[in-house]
Amino acid sequence: MIEQVRGALDAALTRVVAAATLDELRAVDAVVLGKKGELARLKTILGSLPVEERKAFGLAINEAVGALQAASTERALELDSAEVSSRIAAERLDLTEVIARPTRGHAHLVTQAWERLEDVFIGLGFQVAEGPEVETDFYNFEALNMPRSHPARSGFDTLFTDYRQLEADSSDHTAADGHEPSVLLRTHTSPVQIRVMQSIEPPIYMVMPGRVFRRDTPDATHMPVFHQIEGLVIDRNITMAHLAGTIDSFTKAFFGGDFTSRLRPNYFPFTEPSAEFDIQRPDGTWIELGGCGMVHPNVLRACGLDPDEWSGFAFGFGIDRMARERHGIDDIRDMYSNDIRFIEQF
Ligand code: PHE
């Protein structure tokens, strides 16, 4: 009889150890440890045995059941940890691609030039200010000595936020129905001069970079949205010589000691006298960079400054053009195309 118990145990143990998954093990357990299992069947004949054999047989069955339960628990632990590891392996994410091929971006070429310009001017003792991109007629034109009907206004190809259609040839920005729109996208950074003079007392040594807008069709040298940096100095006894010296120091600091600069007479309503400034490359060729001049007395007055006490100069030039010059870019539109083959070169 004891032999039968041992045989049933061995057979059951073999099946437990052979179970390949937790589900399979549960099914095996149900059979070998259940009511219909061989050990359960052997237990039912216990009562029919002679009393002297009953004790040893009962003990053998109990021990067999215990051994089987222990073996099943151990197999369950094994299978559980195997299933956890295989699930971890299956759910593993391969992140090595990022590590294997690092690509690092860089600031936009205009942003790079913008930041370098700020650095150079801070090095020359200037502070940095910014103003709003949506401006009023007062700041963009009127306070800059360009009252309505001033012919210089038509040169700016202004974008108005007003919905009304303007007369194509209207130089004073008056609509066909006589309405005069007064909110616009600033056409230059010069309105920030006015805001600075209104908010702080001279002496003022300030540069004002920013985005500007003009109604223009994009081509190799123009974009309807571009960037300028404005400079403004207001102090006592400021002369044109300070302006020329500042432009020249800036040119050498930004482009290098082998670049020079020159001023050419020009006209702007907000400066008098006014000039265009150019820089000369080491090979002798010239590039036109921007406009400048002595701040017009009317502009000082519009900002509540006495022209007999204060004088100053202002300049403004295109940042995009500087970026283009620095990197030798033929077509300014390439800088805004977001073509990775272009961007990756810098
Ligand atoms: N605001 C002028 C422009 O956009 C440039 C300029 C600035 C000229 C300051 C003189 C003084 O063309």
Side-chain angles (χ1 to χ4, degrees):
M1 294 303 284
I2 301 288
E3 294 301 304
Q4 282 187 11
V5 174
R6 189 160 300 139
L9 176 60
D10 284 348
L13 284 175
T14 309
R15 294 183 64 179
V16 165
V17 172
T21 65
L22 282 169
D23 283 346
E24 237 179 275
L25 180 63
R26 264 190 291 277
V28 168
D29 277 353
V31 173
V32 299
L33 289 167
K35 283 188 189 132
K36 292 185 178 137
E38 184 63 5
L39 288 172
R41 195 191 61 79
L42 289 171
K43 210 171 184 173
T44 59
I45 58 173
L46 200 61
S48 60
L49 292 177
V51 184
E52 60 277 12
E53 287 178 31
R54 235 183 253 171
K55 194 179 172 198
F57 189 70
L59 208 65
I61 288 179
N62 284 347
E63 274 174 12
V65 169
L68 197 51
Q69 279 168 341
S72 172
T73 305
E74 195 184 327
R75 183 67 187 144
L77 286 173
E78 267 171 37
L79 290 174
D80 190 48
S81 72
E83 278 181 21
V84 168
S85 336
S86 76
R87 196 163 59 231
I88 288 172
E91 291 174 358
R92 189 190 172 97
L93 294 176
D94 182 6
L95 303 175
T96 53
E97 196 182 7
V98 179
I99 297 159
R101 203 176 146 269
T103 49
R104 205 165 160 213
H106 58 73
H108 192 274
L109 296 183
V110 169
T111 310
Q112 290 178 23
W114 174 319
E115 288 172 354
R116 266 194 84 217
L117 285 163
E118 285 187 0
D119 287 349
V120 166
F121 280 111
I122 288 169
L124 293 175
F126 284 72
Q127 288 180 295
V128 180
E130 287 184 35
E133 293 176 350
V134 177
E135 267 295 6
T136 61
D137 183 278
F138 175 79
Y139 285 100
N140 198 79
F141 292 119
E142 207 152 332
L144 288 162
N145 201 30
M146 277 181 281
R148 289 187 188 278
S149 85
H150 194 289
R153 285 184 173 220
S154 60
F156 277 110
D157 293 312
T158 310
L159 288 154
F160 292 91
T161 62
D162 203 294
Y163 65 93
R164 270 175 254 215
Q165 184 64 48
L166 297 173
E167 292 271 81
D169 62 355
S170 160
S171 58
D172 64 350
H173 300 148
T174 305
D177 63 2
H179 172 75
E180 296 176 347
S182 60
V183 182
L184 46 85
L185 300 182
R186 65 180 179 192
T187 57
H188 51 176
T189 42
S190 299
V192 194
Q193 284 186 36
I194 306 300
R195 293 185 176 274
V196 166
M197 282 187 269
Q198 281 181 343
S199 58
I200 61 169
E201 299 279 317
I204 295 169
Y205 291 80
M206 198 77 90
V207 285
M208 297 144 267
R211 195 151 59 144
V212 301
F213 309 83
R214 288 184 199 179
R215 209 170 50 193
D216 220 341
T217 309
D219 63 26
T221 55
H222 295 89
M223 287 294 280
V225 180
F226 57 106
H227 305 79
Q228 288 187 332
I229 185 163
E230 191 83 10
L232 177 69
V233 168
I234 304 286
D235 207 337
R236 293 189 166 90
N237 307 314
I238 295 292
T239 71
M240 197 93 183
H242 295 118
L243 168 59
T246 302
I247 299 267
D248 209 54
S249 302
F250 152 74
T251 302
K252 289 180 164 47
F254 190 85
F255 291 99
D258 43 0
F259 278 70
T260 54
S261 65
R262 73 175 173 199
L263 302 185
R264 271 181 300 122
N266 196 11
Y267 170 78
F268 294 104
F270 32 94
T271 45
E272 180 61 34
S274 300
E276 198 76 20
F277 71 90
D278 307 327
I279 59 164
Q280 190 176 36
R281 300 186 183 97
D283 69 2
T285 56
W286 292 92
I287 326 157
E288 189 184 305
L289 261 200
C292 61
M294 302 308 291
V295 178
H296 196 290
N298 287 349
V299 175
L300 293 172
R301 273 186 216 106
C303 300
L305 294 175
D306 179 358
D308 291 329
E309 185 180 0
W310 302 104
S311 59
F313 64 78
F315 56 82
F317 54 84
I319 299 177
D320 310 62
R321 186 176 288 189
M322 316 255 326
R324 193 172 149 239
E325 169 60 26
R326 180 148 173 253
H327 297 289
I329 294 160
D330 295 328
D331 192 326
I332 211 159
R333 288 168 294 188
D334 286 338
M335 293 204 292
Y336 301 98
S337 64
N338 281 342
D339 185 331
I340 196 75
R341 293 166 301 181
F342 175 82
I343 293 168
E344 273 178 346
Q345 296 173 52
F346 304 97

